[in-house]
Amino acid sequence: MGQEVSQLTFSREDRIRYRQKVRRCLDVFALMLDDFGFDADRPTTGLEIELNLVDANSEPAMRNAEVLENLADPSFQSELGQFNLELNASPRLIEGGGFADYERDLRESLGRAEDRAGKSDAKVVLIGILPTLTPRHLVLDNLSTNERYRVLNEQIVAARGEDIELDIRGVERLQTHTDSIASEAACTSVQFHLQVAPDSFANYWNASQAIAGIQVALGANSPFLHGRQLWAETRVALFEQATDTRPDELKAQGVRPRVWFGERWITSIFDLFEENVRYFPPLLPICDDEDPVEVLHSGGVPKLSELRLHNGTVYRWNRPVYDIMNGRPHLRVENRVLPAGPTVVDMLANAAFYFGLAREMAEGDRPIWSQLTFSAAEENFHAAARRGIDAVVHWPRLGDIRVTELVLDVLLPRAATGLDRFGVGAAHRDRLLGVIEQRCLTRRNGAVWQTEAVRSAEHRRGMDRTAALHHMLRRYGELQHTNEPVHTWPVD
C-alpha cells in the first residue's frame, strides 16, 4: 500500500476492469510459481519501523512533513498520521555480524531523525501506542497529506456505510465511535521481512502463524489508549477494529475482516493471494497498462501491480509479499505482529527470536502445524495480546502452559538452532536471545514497564491518570536513548 495514488474517485467500469485485471494477475502468478526463476539463493531479511513524533509536553506532534523535508532521506517515509514516520532499513543477510550491522545502522538513522525532529521542536518515540493520544488527535484532519491515505479512508468508510465502532475490553474498557480510519494511526509497529523460496513459503508462513502469539506475548508494548489501560498489546484490538469495513450484519454472516489472522494452514503462497481475490472486494481499483500475460510470454518479469495493490489492502498479521529487486522477482513473509520499541536492542532481540524460530520450525522434521490446530494458534494470538508476558497458551504435547515457561524450556533453544542455520555469529545470537531469556525470567516487557511506571506515578507521586501517562512517556523517552533492554529499566 506504499504506492502513490492520484485517482480520487472510481466508477463501476473501474471496478469491473480491476476485478478482471487482478484475476489475470493471479493466473500469471500461478504460472510463475510453476516454472519461473525466483531469487531465493540466500535468505535476505528486512526491517521496517514505525515511529511517533511528540512535542516538549509529550503530546503527539503533527509535523512529519516538516521532519521528512529536513531529513531528505529516502529510507524515511510518511505514515498514516501526521505524528508518524516509517524507517525502512536496508535489506541484508543476518549471517555473521548482520545483526550488529542492523543495530549500528538503525541507531544512526534514528539519531538523524531525532536531530531533524529537534529542529521542528519534536522528539522521536518508539512505542506501540502513544499513551498521550486522545480522540482529539485521531481525526481526519491529522492524516498525513499524502493523497493515498485520504482515498483509503474514503473507501473504507464508504464500504462500511456507518461510523467505526471501537469497543475494547481489557483491564478497563474503551467504547467510542469514529468517522474515519484515523484511529489506525495510533498503531505503530515493527515489521520483519524474510525472503523465502516458493516451495518453502508455506512452511515459513505456517510457522510464523504458529508462533505469532508467542511473539506478541514477549514483545507487548501497547497497554494504554485514550487514558485507559486495556490489553497488554492493545494495538492488535485497535487495528482489527479501526479498519473494519463490515457493519454488524456482515459480521453476523461470517464475512472476513480485512485485518485478518486467517483461517487455515496453507500449502502454497498462491492460497493466500487466491483468498484475497475471492473474499475481499477491491478498495482501490487502480489499473496500470501492463499486460502480465504478454510480459511473461516475452520473457520479462510481470509487475502484477493490481495483485500487489490488492494484497496491500488486506491486513494479514503475516502477509505474503511478491516483489521485484534488480530485475528478479522474489517472495517474502512480512511478519507484522509486533509493536515498535522500546529500544533498538529490544526490537533486534525480537527479530532474532522470530527469524531463528521461524526457520527452525519451517525446516523441522515434524511441522508444528501438523500438531497445532489453526484455531488454537489464533486463540493463542489473542490471549497473548490481552495478557502479554503473563499469557497462558496451548502448545502440542504440553497443553496449556505459561508463555515464559514455554519459551525458556522449549522455544529459545530452537530459536538458537535456527539462527545457527542462518550462520549468525554465536556472540550476536547469545546476546539477543539473552534479552528474550531475561524478559521471561523477570516477566517484564514494554507493556509491564509502562503499567508499573503509571501505577507508581499514580500511587507514589499522587498524579491523576493523564499526568501519570505524560510522566511515564517522558521517562520512557529518556530510557529509550540508553539502548538498554526494557527489562533492565528502573520504574522510578
Side-chain angles (χ1 to χ4, degrees):
M1 193 33 226
Q3 71 184 70
E4 297 300 321
V5 172
S6 56
Q7 188 171 346
L8 304 183
T9 60
F10 306 104
S11 66
R12 295 178 181 179
E13 290 74 18
D14 290 331
R15 296 184 183 279
I16 292 170
R17 180 171 176 245
Y18 183 87
R19 180 173 285 111
Q20 294 171 342
K21 188 75 179 292
V22 80
R23 290 184 180 278
R24 190 171 178 86
C25 287
L26 186 65
D27 291 341
V28 168
F29 186 55
L31 294 173
M32 294 177 68
L33 290 174
D34 284 339
D35 58 11
F36 207 88
F38 285 83
D39 186 6
D41 299 333
R42 306 180 78 185
T44 303
T45 66
L47 293 177
E48 298 175 60
I49 305 172
E50 294 167 353
L51 320 172
N52 290 283
L53 297 172
V54 299
D55 62 20
N57 297 317
S58 297
E59 296 276 318
M62 308 299 171
R63 300 167 194 162
N64 67 353
E66 184 179 339
V67 174
L68 283 171
E69 184 177 0
N70 288 332
L71 270 167
D73 182 345
S75 63
F76 287 90
Q77 299 175 356
S78 65
E79 255 296 332
L80 183 61
Q82 292 183 30
F83 58 95
N84 301 140
L85 295 175
E86 182 177 87
L87 168 60
N88 293 279
S90 298
R92 71 195 66 213
L93 302 171
I94 55 173
E95 66 183 23
F99 279 112
D101 294 339
Y102 265 133
E103 185 169 3
R104 182 189 63 253
D105 289 354
L106 289 174
R107 295 191 70 186
E108 288 178 356
S109 294
L110 291 169
R112 288 197 306 276
E114 186 74 30
D115 177 71
R116 302 305 189 274
K119 297 181 187 304
S120 301
D121 297 320
K123 299 178 181 179
V124 172
V125 179
L126 302 166
I127 198 166
I129 293 177
L130 268 182
T132 54
L133 281 168
T134 66
R136 67 184 172 84
H137 299 123
L138 298 173
V139 295
L140 186 60
D141 285 346
N142 286 338
L143 293 186
S144 291
T145 55
N146 192 311
E147 200 61 50
R148 72 174 183 265
Y149 300 125
R150 307 278 171 167
V151 176
L152 186 63
N153 174 75
E154 291 173 6
Q155 295 302 306
I156 288 178
V157 172
R160 185 178 175 91
E162 58 190 46
D163 282 356
I164 296 170
E165 181 182 11
L166 302 179
D167 186 357
I168 305 174
R169 307 180 192 199
V171 177
E172 298 165 354
R173 185 178 183 183
L174 174 68
Q175 277 185 295
T176 188
H177 290 78
T178 177
D179 61 359
S180 75
I181 64 169
S183 292
E184 184 193 336
C187 305
T188 43
S189 64
V190 58
Q191 292 129 42
F192 305 139
H193 291 254
L194 181 58
Q195 183 179 319
V196 296
D199 58 0
S200 60
F201 183 94
N203 285 4
Y204 276 91
W205 188 85
N206 289 342
S208 298
Q209 291 287 98
I211 63 176
I214 312 303
Q215 290 180 264
V216 170
L218 295 174
N221 194 32
S222 312
F224 295 102
L225 176 64
H226 296 342
R228 311 288 175 83
Q229 183 183 347
L230 301 170
W231 294 9
E233 190 47 41
T234 303
R235 189 182 118 270
V236 168
L238 178 60
F239 193 39
E240 289 178 342
Q241 295 182 24
T243 54
D244 198 340
T245 57
R246 306 167 303 162
D248 289 343
E249 294 81 2
L250 292 185
K251 294 178 187 177
Q253 293 173 35
V255 172
R256 280 79 173 172
R258 293 195 92 98
V259 178
W260 199 30
F261 188 82
E263 61 191 16
R264 61 180 176 131
W265 306 119
I266 65 169
T267 59
S268 167
I269 187 175
F270 183 81
D271 296 346
L272 301 177
F273 281 100
E274 191 275 333
E275 283 180 349
N276 289 353
V277 175
R278 177 155 44 106
Y279 292 144
F280 299 101
L283 288 178
L284 301 172
I286 301 169
C287 294
D288 72 9
D289 296 330
E290 177 189 78
D291 184 335
V293 174
E294 288 186 3
V295 173
L296 184 65
H297 287 166
S298 66
V301 180
K303 292 183 295 185
L304 306 182
S305 299
E306 294 79 11
L307 191 68
R308 292 160 70 187
L309 178 59
H310 190 50
N311 184 52
T313 63
V314 179
Y315 304 99
R316 297 179 185 271
W317 293 107
N318 284 292
R319 177 187 276 166
V321 176
Y322 166 86
D323 207 350
I324 302 169
M325 183 70 66
N326 299 323
R328 293 191 66 187
H330 68 263
L331 306 177
R332 303 195 304 268
V333 177
E334 181 186 7
N335 179 255
R336 302 160 48 83
V337 306
L338 286 175
T343 65
V344 169
V345 73
D346 280 306
M347 291 186 290
L348 290 177
N350 293 337
F353 182 76
Y354 167 68
F355 288 138
L357 189 57
R359 179 157 186 176
E360 200 282 332
M361 287 194 165
E363 298 178 1
D365 293 333
R366 189 176 180 197
I368 184 68
W369 52 96
S370 70
Q371 308 166 63
L372 182 72
T373 66
F374 196 90
S375 61
E378 183 173 14
E379 288 167 8
N380 287 346
F381 179 69
H382 285 101
R386 289 187 178 92
R387 296 296 307 280
I389 207 160
D390 290 329
V392 172
V393 296
H394 184 79
W395 203 254
R397 298 193 300 277
L398 298 176
D400 293 340
I401 184 172
R402 283 187 176 276
V403 162
T404 50
E405 182 182 344
L406 175 63
V407 171
L408 289 169
D409 294 346
V410 179
L411 300 184
L412 270 177
R414 297 188 69 177
T417 298
L419 292 177
D420 289 343
R421 290 178 177 171
F422 276 109
V424 174
H428 303 294
R429 175 201 66 202
D430 294 344
R431 176 187 178 227
L432 295 175
L433 293 187
V435 171
I436 302 297
E437 179 184 40
Q438 289 301 310
R439 257 191 238 161
C440 292
L441 291 173
T442 59
R443 291 171 65 178
R444 298 185 77 244
N445 58 12
V448 171
W449 185 89
Q450 288 189 54
T451 55
E452 288 180 351
V454 167
R455 190 179 304 118
S456 176
E458 289 175 333
H459 295 161
R460 297 180 62 180
R461 297 175 180 267
M463 296 180 176
D464 63 18
R465 176 61 62 82
T466 298
L469 288 170
H470 283 74
H471 174 78
M472 179 271 285
L473 186 59
R474 284 192 293 272
R475 185 67 175 134
Y476 182 105
E478 293 167 359
L479 292 167
Q480 172 190 294
H481 287 110
T482 68
N483 200 37
E484 294 295 328
V486 70
H487 70 267
T488 68
W489 289 8
V491 171
D492 292 321

